[in-house]
Amino acid sequence: MNDQIIIFGASSMIGKHLTRLLSDVELTKVTRGGSIVNETEKHKSLIYDLSDKNWVHKDNKFDVCVFCADTSLVSSLPQQLKIRHLILISSASKILKQQSTDADDRLLVSELTDAERHVTENFPNYTIIRPTWIFDGETDKISQKIIKLVRLTKLFPFTTNPRGKRNPIDPLTLAHVIKFFIDAKHSFGKMKVNVGGKYNYEYADIVKLILDKNNIKFMKIYLPLSLFIRMLQFLHSLNLCSSIRAFMFKHMEEDLSICNTALPEDLQELIGTKSDDFWEDFHEA
């Protein structure tokens, strides 16, 4: 592969895996602070700071740009960059939470809509990938919030019916999905794809998987949603759990999963194989 590839968010959870998959390619990486992502690559990479635009000049031409940094920053891409094909990592929340009346959900959907609109209006060729919950059970944002709550309270408060479906996708499998579209960029001129992991879990089951993985013992309690909201308001009044929002409880009973049957068959097979590898390692660790 002789393509010129630039990755924004190369030190992110996804970017770290993607740079390893592309270790035989000379990459241009843009990260927070310009930190080195992976020193084991066969080819030297150019590494720049996300907040510093001084490296950008009119001769920067790239066959592929992968944007896996904060989605809202995609509109800040330097105009001097000449990009043939942009791959944006958005979120399945754009679709799954479109009808939500929750203020946090509506804000998220609005931000994702604006980011995707910027891409479709400013780039002639693009692939917008909307993954479900990007999950590793330890360091991803949702898992961290669950872990923080239980370590603080020693319990996890479920609603009376916490059976909403989730099919999270791990960052390595998602990196393989991105590479699939990098390799096949000439076959997909303008495309939006919703992507989830192979397996569906009920919300209560995935919470238990996270806490067991991190060896955290906890007590389960089951309460009506209205009591949850009051409990959370009380914790917020004590300046506790400020990062935990009401919508996290509201979604326990909702299905937030994506079916992969609309994807190309070879991509479905790839996701299935890589998901199997992830969950086998997850359960053995």
Side-chain angles (χ1 to χ4, degrees):
M1 182 187 297
N2 296 318
D3 288 343
Q4 295 295 313
I5 299 174
I6 184 169
I7 302 175
F8 284 80
S11 61
S12 67
M13 182 186 297
I14 306 163
K16 289 177 182 178
H17 288 292
L18 183 60
T19 57
R20 293 187 185 102
L21 294 181
L22 298 173
S23 62
D24 59 343
V25 180
E26 185 171 332
L27 302 172
T28 299
K29 304 173 186 175
V30 186
T31 74
R32 292 190 184 278
S35 58
I36 294 176
V37 180
N38 180 9
E39 295 180 328
T40 63
E41 294 149 339
K42 296 177 183 176
H43 298 285
K44 183 179 171 125
S45 298
L46 300 173
I47 303 172
Y48 300 103
D49 187 345
L50 186 62
S51 62
D52 180 11
K53 303 295 191 299
N54 292 329
W55 60 274
V56 180
H57 55 82
K58 63 182 179 180
D59 295 326
N60 286 134
K61 297 180 181 179
F62 296 96
D63 297 287
V64 179
C65 170
V66 179
F67 199 91
C68 51
D70 184 342
T71 309
S72 64
L73 298 177
V74 72
S75 60
S76 301
L77 274 173
Q79 294 183 351
Q80 302 96 314
L81 293 180
K82 304 301 180 184
I83 297 169
R84 287 188 179 181
H85 194 104
L86 178 72
I87 299 176
L88 172 69
I89 310 307
S90 182
S91 171
S93 293
K94 166 73 169 59
I95 303 300
L96 296 172
K97 299 180 180 178
Q98 205 160 28
Q99 304 303 318
S100 175
T101 58
D102 181 85
D104 290 296
D105 285 345
R106 291 176 68 85
L107 177 60
L108 174 60
V109 171
S110 176
E111 291 175 347
L112 294 171
T113 300
D114 289 344
E116 291 189 11
R117 182 185 301 114
H118 177 80
V119 170
T120 59
E121 291 179 353
N122 291 279
F123 295 90
N125 298 294
Y126 58 81
T127 303
I128 295 174
I129 301 174
R130 298 171 178 152
T132 55
W133 176 357
I134 302 172
F135 173 91
D136 68 359
E138 295 178 275
T139 63
D140 68 85
K141 291 181 180 179
I142 299 177
S143 293
Q144 283 188 331
K145 289 178 180 179
I146 291 171
I147 291 168
K148 182 177 180 180
L149 175 63
V150 175
R151 281 182 171 156
L152 177 68
T153 64
K154 309 303 180 188
L155 56 85
F156 192 89
F158 291 105
T159 63
T160 53
N161 185 34
R163 301 190 180 280
K165 298 293 192 301
R166 303 289 189 276
N167 63 328
I169 185 167
D170 67 277
L172 178 54
T173 297
L174 182 54
H176 279 282
V177 171
I178 297 168
K179 186 175 184 298
F180 173 91
F181 284 106
I182 291 174
D183 294 341
K185 63 184 182 303
H186 299 299
S187 302
F188 304 101
K190 298 180 180 181
M191 193 172 190
K192 300 176 183 179
V193 293
N194 305 315
V195 177
K198 179 179 179 180
Y199 298 105
N200 267 298
Y201 293 89
E202 293 184 353
Y203 187 90
D205 292 335
I206 204 163
V207 167
K208 186 176 185 304
L209 283 172
I210 292 167
L211 297 175
D212 286 349
K213 168 80 171 177
N214 291 276
N215 298 313
I216 300 173
K217 298 186 182 301
F218 70 106
M219 181 174 67
K220 301 176 186 177
I221 61 171
Y222 296 88
L223 296 171
L225 181 59
S226 59
L227 290 180
F228 270 109
I229 305 306
R230 292 178 190 174
M231 181 187 72
L232 191 59
Q233 289 171 341
F234 174 71
L235 290 173
H236 287 176
S237 71
L238 299 175
N239 293 319
L240 298 172
C241 300
S242 58
S243 64
I244 299 173
R245 313 295 294 174
F247 70 86
M248 292 179 62
F249 299 110
K250 294 177 182 177
H251 291 326
M252 285 187 193
E253 301 180 359
E254 300 174 357
D255 290 342
L256 297 177
S257 61
I258 287 290
C259 180
N260 289 330
T261 55
L263 299 175
E265 289 187 6
D266 48 349
L267 181 54
Q268 292 182 50
E269 184 177 346
L270 175 66
I271 291 171
T273 300
K274 298 304 176 182
S275 291
D276 284 341
D277 292 343
F278 168 77
W279 285 109
E280 182 177 348
D281 292 341
F282 186 91
H283 290 300
E284 287 181 354

